[in-house]
Amino acid sequence: MSNSFINSIFGSNSGLSGMIGDYNAIRNGSYGKLLKSYYNSGTNGTASGSGKAGKSKSENVIDRLIEERKNPTVSKEATEENSNLSTSVNSMMSALGNLQSEETYKDSEKDGTAADKMKSALKSYVTSYNDAVTSSKKTTMYNISKNIAGAMAATKENEAALKEFGITINGDGTLSLNEKKLATADVSKVKDFFDGNAAMSYGSKVATRLNRASNYVKEAPTTNSTSEAGGTASTSETPATTSNSKNLMESIANLKSKALFTATTDNDGNKSYDIDGIISEAENFIKYYNATLATARNTGISGVSANLSSMIQKTAKYSGQLSKAGITVGADGKLSLHKDSLKKADMGGVKDTFEKYASAIESDARLLNYYSNTGNGAASGYASDGSYSLSAGDLVSKMYDI
C-alpha cells in the first residue's frame, strides 16, 4: 500500500474526534470500501481471491491500521530517550537555578570564589543542555522537545554573547565549552546574562521554556502517553496531589516557625538547638515536597502545572543555600537530606535559609493545593463544575482559609 494512499485516509483529522471519525468512515463508509477493494483486488492488492477469506483479511488490516493510529508503538530506544529527556530537563533547570542564584556569585571560604562557582555552574549547564538537545531529537514527547527547540532558538539569538564566555554552538545544536576562554569570563556579565529577574535576559527566556517543558515531565516516562503526545493528561493523581500539597503547606509553616529554632543558652553562653526536632521537620518537608512533585506532574490541571513549575524553579535557585543546610536537589528535582551535614551546619544560617526558602515557595504550594482541590485551570475563568471561578479576593481567602 502506498504512503500517499495511507496519508489520504489518515492525514486529514487529528485528536480523539478525528480517530473516531476515521473509524466510522473506514468501517462503514467510502474509506472502508476503498480498502476492502484494494485488498480484495487480484491485480492491485496483496490479497487474492474473494469471499469470506478476502473479506476477513481486509477487515483485519483495517483493524490493525486503526489500532496503530490509536496506540502508536514506542520503541525501546525512544522509551529510553523519553526518560533521558525528562531527566535532562530537570538537570538543566537545576543548573540554570544555580546560575540564577545570588550565592553563586559570592565568594565563600567553604565553597570557593565566585569565579570558581560560576565556572562550575556554567559547565553543568552546558552538559545538561547538550543532554536535553540530544535526547529531544529522538524522543516521542513532542511537548517537551518543542520547548527545548525554543531554548535552542534563544541560545542561537545570543550566540555572540555566549562566545565571550567560551561557549560556541555546534552544527547539531549542542554547545562546546572552551575552558581557557571561560577562565577569563567576567563574573558580573555571566550573572546579568542569566538573570532570572530580567524579563528579556537569556536566562529568563530559557527558564520560561524549561518551566513549560517541565509540565510534561513524567515521574517515570515509559510510553508515548496521551499527555506526552499533546493531549489531556490523566487526572487520577489529583486527589493525591490535593492531600500531599495540603501536608506540604503545613510542613512549610513548621519549617519557618520561630519555635523550631528556639535556642537554649548554657552558663558559658553557648547556644544549643533541638537538632532532632529540626531534622524531623526537614524530613517531613522533604517527604511531602517529593510526594507533591510525583503526583502533581500527572494531574493535567494547568493551574497545578504552572505553580509546580514555579516551585521547582525557586527550589533550584535556592539549591546552593539548601546544600549548606544538608538538603540537596537531585537531577529529577526531588530533595534529599544528609543528616550529618545538617547537624554540622551553622543553625543560625539554617534558620535563615529555611525561613527564606519556605516563604519563597509558600504561595506556590497554596495555589497548587487550591487548583488541585477545585480543578480550576490557570488560564480558565471557570471551575471544573462549570461555575465561574473565584475573584482575586476570594481566591486569597480560599488559599488562607480566612
Side-chain angles (χ1 to χ4, degrees):
M1 185 180 294
S2 68
N3 289 334
S4 60
F5 184 74
I6 291 290
N7 291 335
S8 70
I9 295 175
F10 293 101
S12 59
N13 294 320
S14 61
L16 179 60
S17 60
M19 287 190 288
I20 294 174
D22 288 343
Y23 181 87
N24 291 333
I26 292 172
R27 271 294 190 193
N28 306 314
S30 58
Y31 288 165
K33 292 178 182 178
L34 282 170
L35 276 174
K36 290 175 183 178
S37 174
Y38 184 91
Y39 276 94
N40 284 325
S41 170
T43 57
N44 296 324
T46 58
S48 59
S50 59
K52 293 183 178 179
K55 181 178 181 181
S56 176
K57 185 176 181 77
S58 66
E59 289 185 346
N60 287 340
V61 170
I62 294 171
D63 288 337
R64 178 174 58 79
L65 292 172
I66 293 172
E67 182 61 26
E68 287 179 358
R69 172 111 192 253
K70 290 190 293 184
N71 300 295
T73 301
V74 180
S75 67
K76 180 180 179 180
E77 291 76 13
T79 298
E80 290 177 354
E81 292 301 338
N82 288 348
S83 180
N84 291 339
L85 181 58
S86 295
T87 299
S88 60
V89 166
N90 286 321
S91 297
M92 195 173 166
M93 289 184 74
S94 179
L96 183 61
N98 285 335
L99 285 166
Q100 294 179 335
S101 171
E102 290 288 337
E103 292 299 313
T104 299
Y105 304 97
K106 295 178 181 178
D107 292 335
S108 168
E109 290 184 8
K110 181 180 179 181
D111 300 317
T113 65
D116 288 339
K117 290 191 287 183
M118 177 272 290
K119 285 184 281 188
S120 177
L122 207 49
K123 288 178 185 178
S124 295
Y125 177 77
V126 169
T127 298
S128 58
Y129 180 99
N130 289 345
D131 289 343
V133 169
T134 301
S135 294
S136 69
K137 295 177 181 180
K138 304 173 184 178
T139 186
T140 59
M141 299 165 73
Y142 172 70
N143 278 325
I144 297 180
S145 61
K146 72 179 181 181
N147 281 295
I148 296 300
M152 293 172 70
T155 301
K156 185 65 177 176
E157 290 174 3
N158 290 273
E159 186 172 11
L162 285 165
K163 284 183 178 179
E164 290 186 34
F165 312 141
I167 298 174
T168 54
I169 303 174
N170 301 319
D172 61 357
T174 59
L175 304 177
S176 289
L177 181 62
N178 184 322
E179 295 199 28
K180 289 184 179 180
K181 189 75 177 288
L182 175 61
T184 63
D186 187 320
V187 174
S188 62
K189 285 187 177 180
V190 174
K191 180 181 179 182
D192 291 341
F193 187 70
F194 285 95
D195 188 358
N197 296 318
M200 298 307 294
S201 74
Y202 170 75
S204 286
K205 290 179 180 179
V206 173
T208 297
R209 288 296 184 175
L210 291 179
N211 284 337
R212 292 175 184 173
S214 71
N215 293 342
Y216 302 95
V217 171
K218 298 297 179 185
E219 190 65 14
T222 56
T223 61
N224 188 21
S225 66
T226 304
S227 61
E228 291 164 353
T232 302
S234 168
T235 58
S236 61
E237 298 286 0
T238 302
T241 301
T242 302
S243 176
N244 288 331
S245 57
K246 182 178 181 180
N247 288 327
L248 178 62
M249 286 161 50
E250 294 174 355
S251 66
I252 285 174
N254 292 336
L255 204 64
K256 58 187 285 191
S257 170
K258 293 182 179 179
L260 181 62
F261 289 92
T262 299
T264 58
T265 306
D266 61 20
N267 294 331
D268 296 325
N270 298 315
K271 290 184 178 180
S272 62
Y273 296 85
D274 180 9
I275 301 297
D276 290 337
I278 293 171
I279 289 176
S280 178
E281 287 299 342
E283 287 179 326
N284 280 335
F285 168 75
I286 290 172
K287 173 184 175 182
Y288 294 122
Y289 181 95
N290 291 343
T292 300
L293 253 65
T295 54
R297 281 171 169 160
N298 299 317
T299 63
I301 300 172
S302 60
V304 170
S305 297
N307 286 286
L308 177 66
S309 295
S310 177
M311 189 168 72
I312 291 172
Q313 186 69 16
K314 288 174 183 176
T315 299
K317 287 183 179 181
Y318 272 87
S319 60
Q321 295 98 308
L322 289 171
S323 66
K324 295 179 181 178
I327 298 175
T328 57
V329 184
D332 58 358
K334 288 186 175 182
L335 305 178
S336 58
L337 177 65
H338 302 275
K339 294 182 183 180
D340 289 340
S341 297
L342 178 54
K343 289 178 181 179
K344 296 175 183 177
D346 171 53
M347 286 300 123
V350 172
K351 176 185 177 182
D352 185 61
T353 294
F354 280 6
E355 184 175 347
K356 289 181 179 178
Y357 169 62
S359 297
I361 66 169
E362 186 172 20
S363 61
D364 294 319
R366 288 187 178 278
L367 283 168
L368 196 154
N369 177 263
Y370 166 75
Y371 283 119
S372 63
N373 187 49
T374 62
N376 280 14
S380 172
Y382 294 89
S384 56
D385 62 358
S387 62
Y388 195 73
S389 63
L390 300 173
S391 67
D394 289 337
L395 173 58
V396 172
S397 298
K398 192 77 173 178
M399 285 169 56
Y400 288 90
D401 298 321
I402 58 177

